[in-house]
Amino acid sequence: MVVSTRHTKRQDTGGVSGKKHKQIDRSTHTDYDPWTQFLYVPRTVTFLVVGLLALTYFSHPFESSSIQDPLAARKASYENVKHGIWAIVSVFLGYSAVQGTSSPHLVRPHPSFWKLVHGVMICYLSFMVFLLFQTVDDARIFLKHLYPELGVELAERAYGESCNLLLPDGHVNWGVIKDTVFDEFVIAHTLGWWGKALILRNEGMLWVVSITFELLELTFQHLLPNFNECWWDSWILDVLICNFIGIVTGMWTVRYFHSKEYNWRGISEQPTLFAKARRGIMQFTPHSLDSFQWHIFSTPKRCLQCFFPGAVILLFEVNHFFLKYELWVPPTNPLNTIRLSILFLMAIPGIREYYEFIESDSNDIFNKLGPFAWTAVAIAFVETLIIIKFGHGMFPQPWPTKVLVAWGTAAAVFLVVFSTWSFRFYWKKKTKKDKRV
């Protein structure tokens, strides 16, 4: 909110003297707590000087770059290219954190944090665009520059190899149950749905996405061994236990922060040391967490608009498994964690931007999709293009007839129902409008 106030005051001072302009700028400093005011001072010149000094130090401009030994020169050339690429990324992220576009909604823990997150998103999008123009073999080799252990074909784990809960002798198959329940990704699965609840903030949409993803696993299990799960693993452990716990706790978190009475007095105004420490920790919690009123079935257009974020989330989920499989990235590699962290941080402001976009007046010609939501859609599309391109010749298995029949029937039913609803809705709307005339 401070950012938007400051911009408003600057716009109102057009045509006044520089001295007067500075006095108005200083008045906005009272909006900050004295103890943390220094964190919100832009200091663009300081960051520029520090950044240029860092480039001067790490680039070694005053040292001779000629190397006589051919082998050493080749190695040095490789390292120079590697360091140069990381320097480009660092400069761009530094610019994003200092000069990136601010948003009045993104104030916790600090506006620069979200500027940096958006910069990371642009870097990831650029990286995926680069991979899009490579062959799958070259892409795998390129990833070895990030993690040398990559570039080796993986043996995908199939979870549905033994689905019998009872052994031939009548005893419970505790070995299979233990391996599945205590799998290292069960907790991550639950936390993932807790995060999705913070993003969508609607139980109905969350359950639709949850069930649809399990159906997508059944759809693609003939292509990816990782999707070949036992029925009780998919529908009991995943949906009824992990997804349920994640959705319930996530929605509880949303309701807690939505109904919580916020007290954002500055650290200097807190009476005790404990209160000051507590206020400092609160800086890393949401400034506010509003619930979304999606009104999914209010109009046919609104229904499609609500389906879209769920479809994007499902696309990201499926892309995750295909990218791992095609690029030979093991589940435990940090690249998976980095990608999921980027997507989560991207989705928190992105879903709010999309919600405000569809909530805005349809007659507002200046309404636009926010940068986080815009970049998220671009990333999802580019990832999908990479999967399609790299997947040529990798999946020779024909589509099962039952899968084609099931999705064909579902699509036909949806088209009939949705078309009928749309026709009746807009016909009734037109009739009411004609009666008024």
Side-chain angles (χ1 to χ4, degrees):
M1 296 303 292
V2 174
V3 177
S4 60
T5 303
R6 176 175 293 179
H7 286 319
T8 302
K9 290 185 178 181
R10 285 183 177 176
Q11 291 172 357
D12 292 342
T13 58
V16 299
S17 65
K19 184 176 180 181
K20 179 69 173 178
H21 180 82
K22 289 182 179 179
Q23 290 176 349
I24 293 177
D25 268 354
R26 285 196 200 98
S27 68
T28 61
H29 292 174
T30 58
D31 295 333
Y32 298 104
D33 183 78
W35 281 33
T36 58
Q37 177 179 309
F38 72 97
L39 293 175
Y40 294 90
V41 177
R43 302 200 183 279
T44 52
V45 176
T46 301
F47 278 105
L48 176 62
V49 172
V50 171
L52 294 178
L53 289 176
L55 282 178
T56 304
Y57 176 78
F58 288 106
S59 62
H60 308 292
F62 305 110
E63 298 179 6
S64 175
S65 58
S66 60
I67 301 176
Q68 302 300 327
D69 184 11
L71 184 61
R74 185 176 179 181
K75 182 178 180 181
S77 177
Y78 169 79
E79 292 296 328
N80 290 338
V81 171
K82 190 175 181 179
H83 294 158
I85 293 174
W86 283 116
I88 292 174
V89 173
S90 301
V91 168
F92 178 75
L93 293 181
Y95 171 82
S96 299
V98 177
Q99 298 284 10
T101 303
S102 300
S103 171
H105 304 300
L106 305 176
V107 295
R108 297 287 185 269
H110 193 280
S112 291
F113 171 79
W114 294 105
K115 295 180 186 180
L116 184 64
V117 169
H118 188 257
V120 172
M121 289 171 56
I122 298 299
C123 288
Y124 179 70
L125 175 60
S126 303
F127 174 69
M128 299 309 290
V129 171
F130 171 80
L131 289 185
L132 180 61
F133 286 85
Q134 313 306 310
T135 65
V136 63
D137 293 326
D138 290 340
R140 291 165 180 165
I141 293 174
F142 181 81
L143 292 181
K144 288 177 67 68
H145 298 299
L146 299 177
Y147 292 94
E149 66 271 18
L150 298 180
V152 180
E153 188 172 3
L154 305 175
E156 284 285 318
R157 176 181 176 183
Y159 291 87
E161 293 178 347
S162 177
C163 296
N164 294 327
L165 296 177
L166 296 177
L167 296 172
D169 58 4
H171 290 84
V172 178
N173 193 355
W174 291 112
V176 172
I177 297 176
K178 181 180 178 181
D179 291 341
T180 304
V181 173
F182 293 99
D183 184 79
E184 55 188 335
F185 299 108
V186 169
I187 296 179
H189 186 108
T190 306
L191 290 176
W193 279 99
W194 175 81
K196 292 183 184 70
L198 298 185
I199 295 169
L200 290 176
R201 308 176 195 177
N202 182 280
E203 292 183 359
M205 294 176 66
L206 286 165
W207 281 113
V208 169
V209 172
S210 172
I211 295 173
T212 304
F213 179 73
E214 297 302 326
L215 296 176
L216 290 175
E217 281 191 331
L218 294 175
T219 301
F220 294 111
Q221 67 179 5
H222 68 288
L223 301 179
L224 296 181
N226 202 229
F227 280 164
N228 187 15
E229 297 180 341
C230 299
W231 66 268
W232 49 268
D233 187 1
S234 296
W235 299 105
I236 297 180
L237 180 61
D238 286 354
V239 176
L240 297 181
I241 298 179
C242 294
N243 295 5
F244 175 79
I245 294 175
I247 291 173
V248 169
T249 55
M251 291 304 299
W252 177 87
T253 305
V254 172
R255 287 190 290 268
Y256 172 78
F257 281 104
H258 179 65
S259 60
K260 180 180 178 182
E261 182 178 348
Y262 290 91
N263 181 6
W264 290 116
R265 289 188 302 170
I267 296 178
S268 63
E269 299 177 18
Q270 303 299 325
T272 64
L273 182 62
F274 176 77
K276 295 180 187 296
R278 185 167 179 261
R279 174 60 182 85
I281 295 175
M282 287 175 61
Q283 187 69 19
F284 296 91
T285 62
H287 183 271
S288 62
L289 200 60
D290 299 329
S291 59
F292 295 148
Q293 304 300 322
W294 290 101
H295 303 296
I296 301 174
F297 298 109
S298 57
T299 67
K301 178 183 176 181
R302 182 69 173 204
C303 184
L304 293 178
Q305 290 174 332
C306 294
F307 282 167
F308 182 74
V312 173
I313 290 175
L314 288 170
L315 188 59
F316 274 124
E317 291 281 349
V318 174
N319 286 353
H320 175 73
F321 291 93
F322 274 97
L323 288 172
K324 285 195 309 175
Y325 182 82
E326 294 182 357
L327 295 175
W328 296 348
V329 179
T332 56
N333 188 272
L335 285 178
N336 295 307
T337 305
I338 293 172
R339 177 183 177 274
L340 292 175
S341 300
I342 293 174
L343 297 185
F344 176 71
L345 292 174
M346 169 180 70
I348 292 293
I351 196 68
R352 183 186 182 106
E353 291 176 347
Y354 178 76
Y355 179 77
E356 292 179 348
F357 177 75
I358 65 176
E359 279 285 295
S360 61
D361 185 1
S362 58
N363 296 321
D364 182 8
I365 62 174
F366 297 104
N367 182 37
K368 67 176 184 178
L369 190 63
F372 285 88
W374 187 94
T375 311
V377 175
I379 291 175
F381 186 78
V382 174
E383 283 187 347
T384 305
L385 290 180
I386 290 174
I387 292 168
I388 295 173
K389 180 178 181 178
F390 290 175
H392 284 302
M394 197 176 297
F395 305 104
Q397 305 91 330
W399 282 90
T401 304
K402 61 181 181 180
V403 171
L404 298 177
V405 172
W407 282 109
T409 304
V413 171
F414 174 78
L415 287 176
V416 171
V417 173
F418 188 79
S419 299
T420 304
W421 176 37
S422 300
F423 176 79
R424 295 184 62 180
F425 178 85
Y426 290 109
W427 178 262
K428 186 181 295 184
K429 185 176 181 181
K430 181 178 180 301
T431 304
K432 289 183 179 179
K433 184 177 180 181
D434 293 340
K435 287 182 179 180
R436 292 175 183 174
V437 175

